[in-house]
Amino acid sequence: MNDKKPTILATTLIARTRLFAVEEVHLRFSNGVEMCYERLLGSPHGAVLLVALNAADEVLLVREYAVGLHRYELGLPKGGMEAGETPELAGLRELREETGFAARRLDVLGELTLAPGYSSQRTHVVLARDLYPAPLPGDEPEPLELQPWPLTRLAELIVMPECSEARTLAAMFMAREYIIEAVSYTHLR
């Protein structure tokens, strides 16, 4: 197996909008083959996605308009990280803005990528527990509808057409496995 990454010979910004930037990347592979790829540049600070569990072990989902699909979509609270923010700080801010709750306990579960073959976007998954009311004004154009969903009914959520975002589903699986492992570890002690 070849683990030697290609050499980047040049990068050129070929398009920029208010939200997106597209970069051409000229590469040379270890076998001498040269290729040009295009990649969608994500936020330089990354993004955060929250699996917030209330006292009833329900995940707080939000229903909001998704312009890419031109429909309302059920998903986890999420947003971009700002310069200097950790995943925990960004997660707490987004949680307060989108659900009206804060969390006393935050655990970073890992990182997800979105179409890594052509996008550099990285999203940190944060598990938020021990919730309490602490709303902050958000930047959404309309109020988000909060919909708690039992983590035990994850299989039902997967087949709902209104919940199709892969990051939401993957993050919920990550949280479920993290919780199961933590419970198993506690019982073994």
Side-chain angles (χ1 to χ4, degrees), residues 62-107:
V62 292
R63 186 174 180 271
E64 66 181 314
Y65 178 71
V67 70
L69 300 175
H70 188 52
R71 70 176 188 207
Y72 283 87
E73 187 75 15
L74 208 55
L76 293 171
K78 61 190 158 300
M81 294 174 58
E82 297 174 2
E85 277 187 321
T86 63
E88 295 91 343
L89 286 175
L92 188 57
R93 176 181 48 76
E94 287 294 337
L95 183 64
R96 293 180 67 197
E97 289 174 2
E98 295 193 10
T99 70
F101 289 94
R104 289 184 183 88
R105 185 169 176 191
L106 296 165
D107 297 296

Side-chain angles (χ1 to χ4, degrees), residues 77-184:
K78 61 190 158 300
M81 294 174 58
E82 297 174 2
E85 277 187 321
T86 63
E88 295 91 343
L89 286 175
L92 188 57
R93 176 181 48 76
E94 287 294 337
L95 183 64
R96 293 180 67 197
E97 289 174 2
E98 295 193 10
T99 70
F101 289 94
R104 289 184 183 88
R105 185 169 176 191
L106 296 165
D107 297 296
V108 178
L109 302 183
E111 189 177 86
L112 296 172
T113 60
L114 184 63
Y118 61 86
S119 173
S120 69
Q121 182 64 41
R122 296 172 183 266
T123 303
H124 301 275
V125 177
V126 178
L127 176 61
R129 293 179 281 180
D130 197 5
L131 305 180
Y132 60 95
L136 275 179
D139 57 2
E140 286 75 19
E142 61 185 3
L144 301 181
E145 181 185 320
L146 194 60
Q147 185 169 338
W149 188 271
L151 192 56
T152 56
R153 291 179 43 209
L154 184 53
E156 292 173 52
L157 190 62
I158 292 169
V159 297
M160 287 180 59
E162 189 179 26
C163 184
S164 67
E165 189 197 13
R167 292 181 306 169
T168 286
L169 298 170
M172 289 178 69
F173 273 104
M174 290 169 73
R176 186 179 74 177
E177 294 307 305
Y178 179 85
I179 292 165
I180 289 169
E181 188 174 304
V183 169
S184 295

Side-chain angles (χ1 to χ4, degrees), residues 181-189:
E181 188 174 304
V183 169
S184 295
Y185 177 76
T186 302
H187 287 314
L188 292 174
R189 293 179 74 188

Side-chain angles (χ1 to χ4, degrees), residues 19-108:
L19 295 176
F20 303 105
V22 179
E23 184 177 62
E24 183 178 77
V25 183
H26 185 178
L27 300 170
R28 179 181 299 125
F29 288 83
S30 61
N31 63 1
V33 174
E34 291 186 19
M35 299 262 321
C36 282
Y37 287 82
E38 291 178 1
R39 70 176 166 198
L40 184 62
L41 297 176
S43 163
H45 310 296
V48 66
L49 186 73
L50 281 294
V51 181
L53 282 177
N54 64 19
D57 284 334
E58 296 169 320
V59 177
L60 300 184
L61 298 173
V62 292
R63 186 174 180 271
E64 66 181 314
Y65 178 71
V67 70
L69 300 175
H70 188 52
R71 70 176 188 207
Y72 283 87
E73 187 75 15
L74 208 55
L76 293 171
K78 61 190 158 300
M81 294 174 58
E82 297 174 2
E85 277 187 321
T86 63
E88 295 91 343
L89 286 175
L92 188 57
R93 176 181 48 76
E94 287 294 337
L95 183 64
R96 293 180 67 197
E97 289 174 2
E98 295 193 10
T99 70
F101 289 94
R104 289 184 183 88
R105 185 169 176 191
L106 296 165
D107 297 296
V108 178

